Amino acid sequence: MYVKPNLDHLLDDLRTRSEAWKVSVARHSSDERMGRGLAWDIELMEDRDENLAAKIVEDFTKIDEAMSTHRGLGSVAPASWRVDQLTDEQFASVKAAWPELAIFDDKVILDMAAIVGIRQVRYMAQVAVRNAPGYLKARGTE
C-alpha cells in the first residue's frame, strides 16, 4: 500500500534550529554591526553560530532528500496534512455501504484513499458510474 514519507521530525528540527538562530541574531544585533556589510555579518555568524548554521543546512538537505526521492501521486507532507489510512474493518464497511466503489479494484481504492481520502474516491466512483453509459454508447460498446 502507498505510504507517504513523514516529514514531521525533519520540520520540527528545522523549526527548533530556526528559532535558536533568530534568538542568536537578536542577541548579537547591535548598532556596532550596522553598516559593516555582509562579509562582517558572515564572519560574526561563523564565530558564534558555526554549528547551528551547519545544522540548519543539514536539515534542509534532509528535507530535500525526502522530497526528491518521493514518487507517487500524493505530495510529501507533515502528518497533519495526510489522510488517515483505512483499517480493514473500515474498508469492508465502506465497500458494503457504497456499491459504486466496485468499479475500482481494491488496491486502487486503498492507494487512492491513502492519498486523497475515501470520500474523494467514492466521489470519483460515482462520477465514473454516472458517465459510463455515455462513454460506452459513444464507443459503441455495451
Side-chain angles (χ1 to χ4, degrees), residues 4-18 55-56 58-67 76-80 82:
K4 292 183 183 180
N6 186 347
L7 294 182
D8 289 340
H9 67 284
L10 298 174
L11 291 171
D12 287 342
D13 290 347
L14 183 60
R15 282 185 198 102
T16 302
R17 291 186 179 117
S18 296
K55 288 184 188 239
I56 289 173
E58 185 179 312
D59 289 340
F60 275 111
T61 303
K62 287 178 184 176
I63 291 170
D64 181 56
E65 286 172 4
M67 294 177 75
V76 178
S80 60
R82 287 199 308 269

Side-chain angles (χ1 to χ4, degrees), residues 1-55:
M1 178 186 297
Y2 175 80
V3 177
K4 292 183 183 180
N6 186 347
L7 294 182
D8 289 340
H9 67 284
L10 298 174
L11 291 171
D12 287 342
D13 290 347
L14 183 60
R15 282 185 198 102
T16 302
R17 291 186 179 117
S18 296
E19 278 304 312
W21 179 261
K22 287 178 191 175
V23 168
S24 176
V25 167
R27 189 174 350 119
H28 290 92
S29 63
S30 65
D31 292 335
E32 175 189 345
R33 149 180 190 277
M34 298 288 235
R36 294 269 182 126
L38 182 61
W40 195 81
D41 287 344
I42 290 173
E43 184 179 329
L44 182 63
M45 178 176 61
E46 288 173 347
D47 290 344
R48 70 172 189 260
D49 296 317
E50 185 175 324
N51 290 336
L52 186 56
K55 288 184 188 239

Side-chain angles (χ1 to χ4, degrees), residues 1 85-96 106 110:
M1 178 186 297
Q85 290 188 1
L86 292 174
T87 63
D88 292 339
E89 295 80 26
Q90 290 170 323
F91 182 63
S93 172
V94 297
K95 286 236 359 185
D106 289 355
L110 289 170

